[in-house]
């Protein structure tokens, strides 16, 4: 932003160090980097490690869903914002998806997969990052929940149309 510190002194600050610090200290980023390095180095974990990770990862989706259900209290004002966020995301992703289908001439399974990704729900990471960054957690959970409900209808519809 721009800040005026004196009568004839103006300073410009284009780098927000708080955002950079939050991004570089994010545990999901570390996990992504480790996964990419392991994949690029063609490292394969031991079977025991895989079984251990699977045991801990299996209930994660279920627990996140329970957590969202516990936090779900949608007020009228939040619902309006959530619906607009979901509509904006769906319209934007569908426009980009249709453009990619046209540019690359995708058909069949490739087209169906791309369109399914376009109508996929807002990810649970929305709630995670809202919690980590002390943002509006109720809005994030409401948006995620409404998006999941919309996707229960949209995904099968897209698969029927695309197939």
């Amino acid at each position: 932003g721009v800040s005026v510190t004196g009568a004839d002194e103006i300073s410009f600050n284009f780098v927000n160090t708080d955002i950079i610090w939050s991004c570089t200290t994010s545990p999901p980023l570390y996990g992504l980097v480790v996964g990419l390095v392991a994949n690029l180095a063609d490292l394969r974990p031991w079977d025991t490690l895989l079984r251990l990770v699977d045991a801990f990862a299996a209930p994660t989706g279920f627990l996140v869903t329970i957590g969202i259900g516990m936090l779900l209290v949608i007020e009228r004002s939040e619902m309006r914002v959530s619906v607009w966020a979901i509509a904006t995301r769906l319209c934007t992703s569908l426009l980009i998806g249709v453009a990619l289908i046209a540019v690359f001439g995708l058909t069949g399974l490739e087209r169906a997969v791309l369109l399914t990704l376009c109508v996929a729900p807002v990810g649970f990471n929305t709630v995670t990052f809202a919690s980590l960054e002390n943002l509006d957690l109720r809005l994030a959970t409401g948006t995620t929940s409404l998006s999941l409900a919309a996707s229960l209808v949209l995904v099968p519809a897209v698969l029927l149309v695309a197939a």
Side-chain angles (χ1 to χ4, degrees), residues 7-124:
D8 48 353
E9 186 179 330
I10 298 175
S11 65
F12 293 92
N13 182 13
F14 292 107
V15 178
N16 188 338
T17 55
D18 291 338
I19 292 174
I20 293 172
W21 179 253
S22 293
C23 289
T24 56
T25 59
S26 172
L29 179 65
Y30 297 151
L32 181 66
V33 169
V34 169
L36 286 173
V37 168
N39 202 3
L40 290 173
D42 201 27
L43 298 175
R44 299 292 171 226
W46 310 298
D47 288 335
T48 306
L49 178 62
L50 283 177
R51 280 187 258 124
L52 182 66
V53 169
D54 282 342
F56 283 104
T60 301
F62 180 70
L63 292 174
V64 169
T65 306
I66 290 174
I68 286 179
M70 289 169 50
L71 292 172
L72 180 60
V73 178
I74 301 175
E75 297 174 13
R76 265 199 196 293
S77 62
E78 290 175 347
M79 182 179 259
R80 185 178 300 141
V81 174
S82 293
V83 168
W84 274 109
I86 294 166
T88 302
R89 186 217 178 268
L90 284 174
C91 291
T92 304
S93 64
L94 281 171
L95 284 172
I96 292 170
V98 168
L100 288 172
I101 288 169
V103 168
F104 294 109
L106 300 177
T107 59
L109 182 61
E110 291 86 6
R111 180 181 66 191
V113 168
L114 182 60
L115 288 173
T116 303
L117 290 173
C118 290
V119 297
V122 172
F124 289 114

Side-chain angles (χ1 to χ4, degrees), residues 125-136:
N125 59 348
T126 304
V127 177
T128 304
F129 288 123
S131 176
L132 288 173
E133 297 298 324
N134 296 322
L135 300 173
D136 192 347

